[in-house]
Amino acid sequence: MKKPAIAAGAGIGVGAVALIGVLVLFIAAVANGAAGHQEEQETDGTQIAAAGGPVGDIPSKMLTFYRQAAPAACQGLDWSVLAAIGKVETDHARHPTMRSSAGAVGPMQFLPSTFKGYAYPVPPGGANPPTPWDATDAVYAAARMLCANGAKTGTSKGVYKAIYSYNHADWYVKKVLAQAKTYATAQPSGTSSDAGGSSNPIVKAALTQLGKPYIWGGGTINGPTGGGFDCSGLTSYAVYQGTGHRVVLPRTSQAQRHVGASVPRDQMRAGDLIVFDTHGWGHVGIYAGGGRMVDAPKPGKSVEVISLSEWEGYAWDIRRVG
């Protein structure tokens, strides 16, 4: 398929992702001497991004792409595997040429002919027509390729097979899995209550809608309306789906401020709602762990994962539901 620009090897693709629970079990197996695999990381999407920590080497833009592409292009694909491939291939697009001797190009090292098979649909923010040089296009294509080559099974065997299909070498698979484990087990600089991330069912439900456009009044417990969500439409959907259809939230952020139990900020957990006082508690998002939030922000934007540092200037009310 292609030869990586940095980790010289043969054919690379994209299809190595597993459910977070499976990944955790897999890491445990490795620790007990099982088949030497590990996991890796992805883009700005949901979980453990602590400045200065093991994921601190990932540029925020690439981290966003990894985190968004994994659940959007291959449900159950863990961002850490996708990010690990980006690290091994081009050090997250830092390689000076991003060209290999075999003709692979771009941040995820695709042969142009291989890329064409995984380039569509064009992801939110991607180039049109798509190109392996565009980071958004490349990361989403990698996720699709991993999915098609075994990652969608959600098993350690499937993940191994998917990574091997990306570059046909056992040393490459082991290197990617080791890097993925480093990313997956990284801890944020906050409190232990930051843990949970994309393994939380409410967060997982929200992540399935990454890239959907902001539509004022959009979204119900069953999905987008008019093609998208507003902030409280997204939280209504994610909580309903994530709690097994047990919890139906009121429809506005102002009303959602009064559901569930109030939680101190230093005890936040993934899946908690955060309501912000923007002229009358007018915005709400879903805490995703690691100082990040899944958010349907405003007209012209799409559902995304952002840093909570963007909201430091506002009052917060944290609610735990379900």
Side-chain angles (χ1 to χ4, degrees):
M1 174 174 295
K2 54 125 272 184
K3 188 172 183 177
I6 293 181
I12 282 185
V14 183
V17 181
L19 290 170
I20 291 213
V22 173
L23 287 170
V24 171
L25 292 174
F26 186 49
I27 290 172
V30 173
N32 290 328
H37 312 358
Q38 292 155 7
E39 311 155 304
E40 192 197 334
Q41 142 176 354
E42 56 130 6
T43 19
D44 228 306
T46 299
Q47 192 181 341
I48 316 165
V55 299
D57 73 315
I58 304 176
S60 60
K61 187 175 182 180
M62 291 300 293
L63 183 60
T64 298
F65 295 154
Y66 297 136
R67 289 178 164 168
Q68 291 179 348
C74 187
Q75 184 138 15
L77 170 64
D78 191 70
W79 70 269
S80 68
V81 174
L82 199 51
I85 290 176
K87 173 67 174 179
V88 172
E89 289 299 328
T90 64
D91 192 20
H92 309 300
R94 293 188 183 97
H95 189 266
T97 67
M98 291 195 290
R99 292 181 182 273
S100 79
S101 59
V105 299
M108 301 302 284
Q109 288 293 281
F110 273 102
L111 287 174
S113 58
T114 301
F115 174 79
K116 290 179 181 179
Y118 301 97
Y120 291 92
V122 176
N128 197 356
T131 167
W133 289 102
D134 181 84
T136 306
D137 293 340
V139 171
Y140 271 77
R144 294 184 187 116
M145 184 173 176
L146 289 169
C147 207
N149 285 287
K152 66 182 178 182
T153 65
T155 64
S156 59
K157 183 177 180 180
V159 172
Y160 194 98
K161 178 183 175 183
I163 300 173
Y164 188 87
S165 74
Y166 209 89
N167 188 349
H168 304 315
D170 289 320
W171 66 263
Y172 177 86
V173 178
K174 292 176 181 179
K175 186 171 184 177
V176 167
L177 288 171
Q179 183 64 59
K181 182 179 180 181
T182 298
Y183 287 143
T185 58
Q187 291 300 314
S189 57
T191 65
S192 60
S193 60
D194 282 341
S198 53
S199 62
N200 176 274
I202 293 174
V203 175
K204 287 174 70 175
L207 290 176
T208 64
Q209 304 305 311
L210 287 174
K212 294 291 195 307
Y214 179 95
I215 301 292
W216 188 85
T220 71
I221 58 175
N222 296 312
T225 56
F229 293 90
D230 64 10
C231 64
S232 55
L234 178 65
T235 52
S236 295
Y237 169 82
V239 169
Y240 182 72
Q241 300 296 330
T243 59
H245 302 183
R246 292 192 303 272
V247 178
V248 178
L249 296 180
R251 186 56 182 77
T252 67
S253 58
Q254 293 86 351
Q256 289 180 8
R257 186 189 169 207
H258 302 290
V259 301
S262 179
V263 177
R265 184 165 169 176
D266 63 357
Q267 295 179 26
M268 272 196 307
R269 294 199 308 239
D272 288 344
L273 304 184
I274 311 174
V275 189
F276 301 94
D277 189 3
T278 58
H279 304 95
W281 302 97
H283 193 72
V284 61
I286 301 164
Y287 184 53
R292 297 190 171 272
M293 179 176 77
V294 189
D295 187 30
K298 61 184 179 181
K301 299 278 284 182
S302 300
V303 176
E304 61 184 353
V305 179
I306 65 166
S307 169
L308 281 170
S309 62
E310 298 180 25
W311 289 92
E312 286 298 339
Y314 297 87
W316 301 12
D317 194 348
I318 299 149
R319 314 300 300 186
R320 184 161 298 157
V321 299

